[in-house]
Amino acid sequence: MTDTTIRLSRKKPDTFDGDLLIYTPFLNNKEKIIRGPNVVEQELDDAISIGDFKGKQGDTLLFYPSGSAKKKLNVSRVFIASLGNVEEKNNNKTRELLRKTGGLIATEARKTKSSHLGICLDNLLSSVGEDGVESLVEGILLGDYRFEKYKSKSSKKEKRSFKGIKEIVGFSSGSENNGKIEKGISRAVNSARAACKARDMANEPGNGWTPTSFAVYARELAGKHKMTCTVLGKGGMKRLKMGGLLGVNQGSSEPPKLVILEYKAPKKKADTILFVGKGLTFDSGGVSLKPSAGMQDMKYDMCGGAAALSAMSVVGAEQPDVNVIAIIPATDNMGGSSALKPGDIIKHYGGITSEIVNTDAEGRLILADSLAYGIKRYKPTCVVDLATLTGAVILGLGHHRTGILGNNQGLIDRVIRAGDKSGEPLWQLPLDEEYTEQIESDVADIKNTGGRPAGTITAAAYLQKFVGNTPWVHLDIAGTAWDFTKKSYIPKGPSGIAVRTLVELVRDWKKFS
Ligand code: BES
Ligand code: MN
Ligand code: ZN
């Protein structure tokens, strides 16, 4: 992604000489348009009087200053994006509204090939506060994302090229709150960059982002933020008897990796959170081969791992008061001649045996080893796992909500709250004992599918066998990791889902009891 620089300026916005100056009026509770000091007063009046602009959320106008405005302004274009009714400053609806407005700004910047943006912050601050500036910036950066690495340069000469937003200048006359605004901006930059990095990993094809790539990036993060990185290869997995991860990898010539990244909080007596993310770099289904239509999307089957690792970049940068460990079991799922077969029995780390009924239910196999190992080794206070685990979650929740299940309502509620705050909604599914009966096997301790009914829940029931009494939640992101709800700040392709939810969860972490 572009490395956008963001800075604040106390100058008047009229002095801005970049490509696009942005101004965000809003409606008060009497539906009156509140504009604050405006740079294109007359033009906006005209648009309002002929009914082209009502100030509703999503209403936008683009002006090319001319006449008297041209004399006052140095900028080439002015973009007005209305916030509509802002109910309260610090609520989730307002946050989402601002991210969406940010997405509209990014869209307009792309359309007009504007790489230098100025934003009038004064009216924005009075309506939505510093928190609002954070969400707006987050929306701009998330919306500006494109993945063009493998596109050959086009031969036809374009008049101007656009490689993303280079600079954003926030114009704010007040000085007292600049510290707070800057903090908000830095949080927005951290979380948006992390989500975009997760999108980058996902956009890479199966031959571009391999298990080794996870290991390389984790090491890079460890070096940058003083975290500890451990990578287990096949040898290490064999010593630990991780039959799930090894089994899934059996049919592949691509070496598997178990990537572990540890962040230690400055405080001694801090809680420890463990993230476990499914890093399946390509899921062919194995011997239980998937249909070929749409199979290319299975390069996205590593989005859980991408989210867990990307969130660690923010953890490293922001240093929250909680220990955080991310484990990413990484492999692809192929059907080579030594591949796992239906009917085979594997033994997981810790000793539980499992009958493989369908080699396409591979995610739970690699997560099971990782959960059991992570809990035994690090004794976390709580565990969050994330995986593109079941097609069934798409049938239940569509592409609008991530499925969440777990064994501890307090932890489930925390994650749901973090998701709501981030614009990444979740929905809880039940995890009663009855579902566990569906994965009982005649020949082993358990089997790896529970049949068609409640596929998402029986997958979670499988994982539950490996977490014991440790508070645990499981996020099934199969419906949201790509093709997520259409929003201005979510470009086509992988969404980067759950990165910002995880970040929100650990920011200001309150001791868990
Ligand atoms: N990676 C898939 C789940 C998936 C499917 C994610 C579609 C996104 C879109 C997973 O490994 C899988 O294949 N699950 C099977 C499980 C079944 C065989 C019990 C599924 O959902 O069909
Ligand atoms: Mn599968
Ligand atoms: Zn899979």
Side-chain angles (χ1 to χ4, degrees):
M1 95 181 247
T2 354
D3 259 335
T4 316
T5 60
I6 306 180
R7 63 183 173 86
L8 294 178
S9 167
R10 290 215 192 111
K11 289 192 193 143
K12 285 229 167 79
D14 330 20
T15 59
F16 182 61
D17 60 358
D19 304 308
L20 190 65
L21 182 60
I22 293 129
Y23 174 71
T24 53
F26 61 98
L27 292 173
N28 70 3
N29 50 16
K30 294 195 183 83
E31 301 286 306
K32 186 174 179 312
I33 302 174
I34 307 298
R35 317 150 46 145
N38 184 357
V39 287
V40 282
E41 203 76 50
Q42 186 58 52
E43 290 81 350
L44 186 54
D45 276 345
D46 292 347
I48 293 170
S49 71
I50 60 170
D52 279 10
F53 187 82
K54 296 191 177 67
K56 295 232 163 62
Q57 196 244 310
D59 275 7
T60 61
L61 284 175
L62 181 67
F63 289 114
Y64 294 87
S66 63
S68 65
K70 192 161 188 130
K71 290 198 193 92
K72 277 197 299 193
L73 294 172
N74 283 317
V75 74
S76 337
R77 305 168 194 82
V78 177
F79 184 55
I80 296 190
S82 186
L83 304 178
N85 294 97
V86 178
E87 284 165 13
E88 267 173 79
K89 281 188 184 174
N90 265 314
N91 72 14
N92 293 338
K93 223 173 133 190
T94 306
R95 272 184 261 275
E96 180 70 355
L97 163 93
L98 282 149
R99 278 189 293 264
K100 284 181 177 165
T101 308
L104 289 180
I105 292 170
T107 308
E108 195 65 25
R110 179 161 300 271
K111 224 193 273 171
T112 57
K113 296 184 182 161
S114 296
S115 45
H116 293 267
L117 311 191
I119 306 183
C120 307
L121 290 183
D122 284 342
N123 60 322
L124 188 69
L125 281 163
S126 68
S127 55
V128 294
E130 295 86 4
D131 207 62
V133 177
E134 175 180 339
S135 301
L136 185 86
V137 170
E138 189 173 66
I140 297 177
L141 298 179
L142 288 169
D144 185 41
Y145 176 85
R146 289 296 180 280
F147 185 76
E148 283 159 352
K149 182 176 157 189
Y150 293 101
K151 284 260 185 213
S152 312
K153 302 274 168 294
S154 88
S155 52
K156 64 171 191 248
K157 281 223 159 47
E158 298 243 358
K159 217 169 167 196
R160 284 179 299 131
S161 72
F162 180 70
K163 295 199 198 69
I165 298 166
K166 290 239 157 56
E167 186 191 32
I168 303 173
V169 186
F171 292 95
S172 131
S173 57
S175 55
E176 63 278 11
N177 282 331
N178 276 9
K180 255 185 150 173
I181 303 172
E182 267 158 11
K183 192 165 173 222
I185 290 176
S186 128
R187 283 159 58 108
V189 169
N190 288 344
S191 65
R193 283 216 176 119
C196 291
K197 177 66 190 181
R199 292 172 180 174
D200 273 345
M201 298 178 195
N203 269 313
E204 284 285 355
N207 62 350
W209 190 266
T210 63
T212 306
S213 313
F214 272 118
V216 169
Y217 184 59
R219 284 210 187 90
E220 188 188 317
L221 285 182
K224 199 162 154 195
H225 299 295
K226 295 211 180 66
M227 299 190 280
T228 312
C229 178
T230 314
V231 177
L232 295 185
K234 230 184 218 179
M237 295 168 200
K238 280 183 182 156
R239 270 195 302 281
L240 292 167
K241 301 200 169 72
M242 295 185 159
L245 184 49
L246 285 166
V248 172
N249 182 255
Q250 244 169 253
S252 175
S253 52
E254 187 69 46
K257 302 283 175 202
L258 187 83
V259 179
I260 305 173
L261 190 58
E262 291 170 68
Y263 160 77
K264 265 223 145 341
K267 254 214 312 242
K268 269 257 148 53
K269 276 200 179 138
D271 284 348
T272 299
I273 307 182
L274 171 64
F275 297 155
V276 177
K278 174 180 175 183
L280 215 293
T281 54
F282 183 76
D283 183 9
S284 74
V287 169
S288 315
L289 190 66
K290 284 184 181 296
S292 51
M295 203 205 271
Q296 68 278 10
D297 281 354
M298 282 300 123
K299 69 172 185 174
Y300 299 140
D301 210 16
M302 34 56 72
C303 284
L309 196 53
S310 292
M312 290 304 279
S313 73
V314 185
V315 169
E318 296 185 1
Q319 307 261 310
D321 264 330
V322 54
N323 304 312
V324 190
I325 298 160
I327 300 187
I328 295 107
T331 175
D332 52 14
N333 182 22
M334 302 296 285
S337 61
S338 52
L340 215 52
K341 308 173 291 300
D344 284 358
I345 295 175
I346 58 158
K347 192 186 262 185
H348 279 294
Y349 174 87
I352 296 178
T353 58
S354 176
E355 177 194 1
I356 306 305
V357 173
N358 189 321
T359 65
D360 197 11
E362 84 299 337
R364 62 200 77 185
L365 304 182
I366 69 172
L367 291 170
D369 283 345
S370 310
L371 288 166
Y373 176 69
I375 288 169
K376 180 97 193 282
R377 169 85 213 261
Y378 297 102
K379 303 185 174 51
T381 322
C382 42
V383 183
V384 179
D385 84 68
L386 321 87
T388 46
L389 205 60
T390 65
V393 79
I394 307 175
L395 301 181
L397 301 177
H399 296 286
H400 306 301
R401 281 177 189 263
T402 293
I404 180 169
L405 309 94
N407 63 3
N408 183 296
Q409 198 57 42
L411 184 61
I412 292 171
D413 291 342
R414 279 196 193 201
V415 176
I416 290 177
R417 268 201 303 276
D420 285 341
K421 203 171 168 188
S422 316
E424 301 185 328
L426 300 116
W427 194 260
Q428 187 179 354
L429 298 174
L431 189 50
D432 307 300
E433 273 170 36
E434 290 83 348
Y435 295 101
T436 306
E437 288 168 22
Q438 284 178 238
I439 56 167
E440 280 170 8
S441 164
D442 293 336
V443 292
D445 297 332
I446 46 175
K447 60 182 177 188
N448 83 329
T449 76
R452 271 175 69 79
T456 303
I457 304 177
T458 55
Y462 191 96
L463 302 179
Q464 189 174 21
K465 295 271 179 192
F466 299 86
V467 299
N469 293 323
T470 306
W472 153 81
V473 301
H474 158 64
L475 310 189
D476 195 330
I477 57 172
T480 48
W482 69 100
D483 287 346
F484 183 45
T485 311
K486 206 162 183 268
K487 310 185 195 191
S488 56
Y489 67 90
I490 310 279
K492 223 169 98 191
S495 58
I497 199 82
V499 173
R500 292 178 304 106
T501 298
L502 292 183
V503 168
E504 201 53 59
L505 180 71
V506 297
R507 275 177 180 161
D508 314 315
W509 176 262
K510 303 273 172 319
K511 199 121 176 85
F512 192 84
S513 52

